[in-house]
Structure formats: C-alpha cells, structure tokens
Amino acid sequence: DTGVSQDPRHKITKRGQNVTFRCDPISEHNRLYWYRQTLGQGPEFLTYFQNEAQLEKSRLLSDRFSAERPKGSFSTLEIQRTEQGDSAMYLCASTRQGKSTDTQYFGPGTRLTVL
Amino acid sequence: GQQLNQSPQSMFIQEGEDVSMNCTSSSIFNTWLWYKQDPGEGPVLLIALYKAGELTSNGRLTAQFGITRKDSFLNISASIPSDVGIYFCAGQTSGSRLTFGEGTQLTVNP
C-alpha cells in the first residue's frame, strides 16, 4: 500500500487569495477526513467523506472553506479569501469503513502560511 | 463538545528511562489511539485500542484502554533518541471523527 499523499506540502499565499489542496487516500479506502492543526495543538476535525458523499462538517468549516471528493477517490479542500488565521497544517486521513478496525491513517499534511 | 486532557504537556528524560503519559476524557469513546508526530509531518499511528480494559504492546510501547472508556495511557520503555517527538492520544466513536489531545512533547537526552 502506498500511504496517503497530499499536495502541495507547503503553500505560502497572500491574504485574500484562494488556495486549493489535494489529498489522495490509500487505495480502496472509502472514507476520507480533513483536519486542521495549529501550532502546539492537536489536529481538529473539519469534514469527512464516505465515497463521494460529504457526511459531516465541523462548525470550524466556515463558508470560505469547501471540500469535494467528486469521484470518491482524491479530495480537494479550497479556502477562499484566505485570512491570516487560516495559517495551519491541513491534514488528510483515510480509512476503509466496514472493517472491524477502521483506523485512520494520515498524510504528511499541507503547511499553509497566509501573509 | 468532547475534550481530551493529555498529560504531561512535555517531558525531558535521559536515554534508557521509561516514560508514561495519559489521556482522560469527559466522554466515553469506543476506540483509543496513540499517534506520534515529527516536525512538519503527519501523525503516525503507534497503537490502536478497541476494547475497554485492553492492554496492547507494540515493541517498547504499551498502551491500555481504561475500563471506564474515558481514559488511556501510553508507556515507552527504555527510551532512545529517536523516540523524540510529539505524542497524541485520540478518541473515536464508531467510524467518525477523531478527537485529539493537546500532545505530549518528549525530549530524550542521550
């Protein structure tokens, strides 16, 4: 199995710009999760998909954030009109729902810096 | 909402010493997990616990799922320099989001 991959690994942008991140889950993993992690904190849940359906969204996910998983494989997370407070590590995780042990495996993350 | 209290926040130990860290929750979880995170990387799964009272080992690591389902601990025996990193506990109810603790920063002096 190749692991969860995320692209880009680092993104620096100016306030007000839009950014988009991509996550490729482990092959055959039908659930995909997005988390955000700020410095000195544990990851916080943003949203998750089962196949192409977005099943849950955290209240952390403001209307400037949108996530998609159009074909039930890779997912994208877009942030519009970025703010300095959006600076964080954005982590993706995947799992195979239905197994008795649906452990989430994380990608390396995308580090976003908003200037 | 659910919160996990993880302690200690940081530990400074000598190589060869044993380490213990724990997590407590105000809510019940069905699964407890322990992850390690290196700087600039995503969390890497160390141990997963699925039953109350379960004690599981992975090499020098041992973790237990508390009988009340509201707590868990992780022990590392005979620490080595590559154990340095941030250790996170995470709780999960069935198939849903993970709720993470705030992490324990471990420093191992050679």
Side-chain angles (χ1 to χ4, degrees):
Chain A
D1 263 344
T2 56
V4 178
S5 62
Q6 293 188 245
D7 183 70
R9 292 292 309 274
H10 304 275
K11 178 71 177 178
I12 300 174
T13 191
K14 292 183 179 179
R15 189 175 53 188
Q17 297 294 305
N18 299 344
V19 294
T20 300
F21 311 139
R22 177 180 170 124
C23 171
D24 286 87
I26 294 171
S27 177
E28 297 182 355
H29 277 195
N30 57 355
R31 282 199 173 177
L32 186 150
Y33 300 77
W34 285 99
Y35 292 82
R36 181 173 71 184
Q37 185 178 25
T38 53
L39 204 60
Q41 300 294 318
E44 294 177 292
F45 171 80
L46 292 177
T47 187
Y48 89 93
F49 293 83
Q50 179 163 311
N51 300 313
E52 64 275 9
Q54 189 172 16
L55 295 188
E56 187 179 356
K57 292 195 289 187
S58 162
R59 55 191 166 87
L60 290 176
L61 210 67
S62 77
D63 56 5
R64 296 184 297 106
F65 287 68
S66 62
E68 294 182 343
R69 195 183 183 199
K71 298 182 180 179
S73 56
F74 73 91
S75 175
T76 57
L77 177 68
E78 182 184 15
I79 309 174
Q80 296 182 327
R81 305 181 302 282
T82 52
E83 302 173 356
Q84 287 184 324
D86 297 331
S87 295
M89 173 81 92
Y90 290 84
L91 294 163
C92 175
S94 72
T95 188
R96 187 172 177 180
Q97 187 264 343
K99 288 186 67 173
S100 60
T101 57
D102 54 352
T103 306
Q104 293 181 26
Y105 295 91
F106 283 82
T110 295
R111 168 73 65 188
L112 173 66
T113 302
V114 182
L115 301 176
Chain B
Q2 294 175 326
Q3 289 187 329
L4 293 188
N5 297 309
Q6 186 172 347
S7 64
Q9 284 188 321
S10 60
M11 301 185 73
F12 298 83
I13 61 171
Q14 293 296 126
E15 184 177 357
E17 290 184 351
D18 298 342
V19 171
S20 183
M21 58 193 78
N22 67 82
C23 267
T24 59
S25 170
S26 58
S27 304
I28 289 173
F29 289 108
N30 296 331
T31 302
W32 280 92
L33 304 111
W34 286 90
Y35 289 87
K36 179 174 182 273
Q37 188 174 29
D38 292 328
E41 299 294 330
V44 174
L45 181 68
L46 298 174
I47 289 183
L49 302 156
Y50 302 103
K51 289 175 59 175
E54 179 181 356
L55 183 71
T56 296
S57 292
N58 178 10
R60 294 179 296 106
L61 308 179
T62 302
Q64 184 156 31
F65 191 148
I67 197 73
T68 65
R69 294 199 284 159
K70 291 184 177 182
D71 63 297
S72 178
F73 72 74
L74 174 71
N75 288 341
I76 305 173
S77 63
S79 58
I80 59 178
S82 63
D83 291 334
V84 165
I86 304 177
Y87 292 79
F88 288 100
C89 62
Q92 184 184 33
T93 51
S94 296
S96 67
R97 65 174 71 182
L98 295 178
T99 299
F100 281 84
E102 293 186 343
T104 296
Q105 171 73 63
L106 179 63
T107 302
V108 180
N109 296 314

